[in-house]
């Protein structure tokens, strides 16, 4: 007879994807916004969402059990702190993160077996192209991806506590996306001038974000290939969740490019999830495999990051824990 606790564990794991897809359905149907607008019963919520009432009843029954919403369909649903994170346009909205994980990344994980067999991206198996090419070529994909990334940036303020930016004049954000981390630093330190460096198609997105976040005149955008050249002469260089997308060879190439651009007194700040060697934290392990599914990338252990940094001419000065099991690695020219 099978061990009942083991069987229950298997059932809990295999049904986990159903919870994430139920959350995606809530975002796709705009349920958090409809409830906030006063559509509180199953009947009214179904009408507002353009959905079947019985199906809404069953979906909401699950979502309330998951504590995404409160209340019920008879006396009225009510928002929760979780559902507020799902509202479109709300501060720190995570709706685009839920969308991309429920759509593109859900399809990528469907190719987990060929990805593990080949050691190549699940996204490429599912879509026939790389994630980077998809984000470049699909008109709506790049902005959605950046909004999703921004929604997961709750640990950025922790960087300000982990590293002393006093006396820093210029910060270069390498492959900085929309510029959210750069803006976090600049808002806290009005004397800092920022330079966002990324692929040319990302620069309009970054300019719009930085204009709103810090205002024009305090930053510059530069386009180019991060493996060939980055802006030189800055005091601090940022690499936030960039190394995770690449194998060791590409990481060393990228880091070597940054090292050539840096003065000897400058510092490199690397924001990544560090895999604990004892396997004590699940989130970095989940993210590590997700990176294989999404981009063919990986998270690394502390020695793994030290190795790629050392091969590019850096030494690790310190490592600081951030929220969501993320870390800040501070590196100096060796």
């Amino acid at each position: 007879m099978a061990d009942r606790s083991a069987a229950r564990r298997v059932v809990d794991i295999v049904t986990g994807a159903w919870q994430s897809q139920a959350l995606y359905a809530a975002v796709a149907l705009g349920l958090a916004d409809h409830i906030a607008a006063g559509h509180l019963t199953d009947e009214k919520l179904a009408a507002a969402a353009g959905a079947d009432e019985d199906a809404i009843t069953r979906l909401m029954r699950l979502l309330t059990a998951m504590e995404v919403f409160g209340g019920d369909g008879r006396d009225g649903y009510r928002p929760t702190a979780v559902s507020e994170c799902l509202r479109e346009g709300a501060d720190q909205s995570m709706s685009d993160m839920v969308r991309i994980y429920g759509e593109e990344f859900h399809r990528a994980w469907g190719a987990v077996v060929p990805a593990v067999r080949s050691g190549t991206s699940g996204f490429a198996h599912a879509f026939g192209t790389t994630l980077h090419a998809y984000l470049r070529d699909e008109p709506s994909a790049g902005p959605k991806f950046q909004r999703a990334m921004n929604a997961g940036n709750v640990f950025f303020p922790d960087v300000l506590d982990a590293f002393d930016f006093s006396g820093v004049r210029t910060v270069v954000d390498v492959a900085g996306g929309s510029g959210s981390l750069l803006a976090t630093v600049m808002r806290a330190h009005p004397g800092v001038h920022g330079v966002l460096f990324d692929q040319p198609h990302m620069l309009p997105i970054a300019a719009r974000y930085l204009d709103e976040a810090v205002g024009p005149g305090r930053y510059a955008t530069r386009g180019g290939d991060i493996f060939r050249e980055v802006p030189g002469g800055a005091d601090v260089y940022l690499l936030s969740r960039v190394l995770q997308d690449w194998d060791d060879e590409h990481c060393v190439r990228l880091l070597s490019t940054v090292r050539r651009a840096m003065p000897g007194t400058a510092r490199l700040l690397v924001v990544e999830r560090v895999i604990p060697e004892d396997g004590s934290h699940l989130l970095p392990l989940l993210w590590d495999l997700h990176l294989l599914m999404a981009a063919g990338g990986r998270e690394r252990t502390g020695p793994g990051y030290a190795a790629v940094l050392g091969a590019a001419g850096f030494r690790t000065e310190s490592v600081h824990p951030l929220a969501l099991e993320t870390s800040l690695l501070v590196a100096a020219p060796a």
Side-chain angles (χ1 to χ4, degrees):
M1 182 176 178
D3 184 309
R4 290 185 178 182
S5 63
R8 176 54 191 258
R9 181 63 182 141
V10 171
V11 171
D12 287 343
I13 292 171
V14 298
T15 57
W18 300 352
Q19 293 191 49
S20 65
Q21 286 303 103
L23 193 69
Y24 164 66
V27 168
L29 294 168
L31 300 185
D33 292 294
H34 294 318
I35 288 172
H39 304 286
L40 305 181
T41 65
D42 289 326
E43 180 183 5
K44 292 181 178 179
L45 193 56
D52 178 79
E53 183 178 342
D54 178 63
I56 284 290
T57 300
R58 295 158 69 182
L59 174 61
M60 289 298 296
R61 189 163 55 202
L62 174 59
L63 291 169
T64 53
M66 291 164 55
E67 301 182 342
V68 176
F69 298 102
D72 58 49
R74 183 185 64 253
D75 299 324
Y77 297 110
R78 61 178 182 271
T80 66
V82 174
S83 71
E84 287 299 295
C85 294
L86 306 181
R87 293 185 61 188
E88 299 288 345
D91 289 342
Q92 300 300 314
S93 173
M94 303 180 78
S95 62
D96 280 300
M97 173 183 281
V98 175
R99 285 182 187 276
I100 201 165
Y101 278 81
E103 294 170 357
E104 286 92 342
F105 290 160
H106 183 67
R107 282 182 59 187
W109 269 90
V112 61
V113 173
V116 171
R117 280 180 171 156
S118 64
T120 56
S121 161
F123 191 96
H125 284 283
F127 286 84
T129 187
T130 66
L131 175 62
H132 294 283
Y134 179 83
L135 296 177
R136 181 191 66 223
D137 298 336
E138 289 291 326
S140 63
K144 180 173 74 170
F145 180 76
Q146 284 305 319
R147 292 192 300 269
M149 292 286 285
N150 289 346
N153 290 344
V154 296
F155 45 80
F156 279 1
D158 296 352
V159 174
L160 302 175
D161 297 325
F163 183 81
D164 183 8
F165 284 90
S166 61
V168 171
R169 295 167 298 173
T170 305
V171 175
V172 174
D173 195 351
V174 179
S178 68
S180 181
L181 177 55
L182 183 61
T184 300
V185 173
M186 294 175 68
R187 280 194 296 258
H189 297 276
V192 167
H193 177 75
V195 179
L196 187 133
F197 186 79
D198 211 320
Q199 297 180 72
H201 73 274
M202 289 302 305
L203 301 186
I205 298 171
R208 286 193 296 270
Y209 182 86
L210 291 169
D211 276 347
E212 182 177 343
V214 301
R218 288 191 58 200
Y219 74 91
T221 58
R222 298 284 185 270
D225 182 348
I226 58 176
F227 294 102
R228 294 180 178 273
E229 186 178 16
V230 300
D235 302 301
V236 170
Y237 286 77
L238 306 176
L239 274 177
S240 176
R241 296 174 295 178
V242 176
L243 300 182
Q244 65 180 22
D245 288 342
W246 303 100
D247 59 25
D248 287 358
E249 180 182 352
H250 281 87
C251 284
V252 172
R253 283 177 55 197
L254 168 56
L255 290 166
S256 298
T257 301
V258 176
R259 176 63 189 91
R260 288 193 299 270
M262 288 176 61
T265 56
R267 292 295 182 269
L268 170 64
L269 307 187
V270 176
V271 177
E272 295 284 0
R273 283 187 172 88
V274 177
I275 296 175
E277 294 184 86
D278 61 1
S280 57
H281 298 291
L282 186 62
L283 189 57
L285 304 178
L286 285 168
W287 226 274
D288 177 46
L289 193 59
H290 170 68
L291 289 167
L292 174 59
M293 297 306 110
R298 67 185 311 129
E299 301 288 16
R300 292 171 172 83
T301 62
Y305 282 113
V308 293
L309 286 163
F314 289 98
R315 58 182 174 85
T316 305
E317 272 192 338
S318 57
V319 180
H320 307 269
L322 310 177
L324 294 180
E325 298 175 33
T326 307
S327 297
L328 174 70
L329 296 88
V330 180

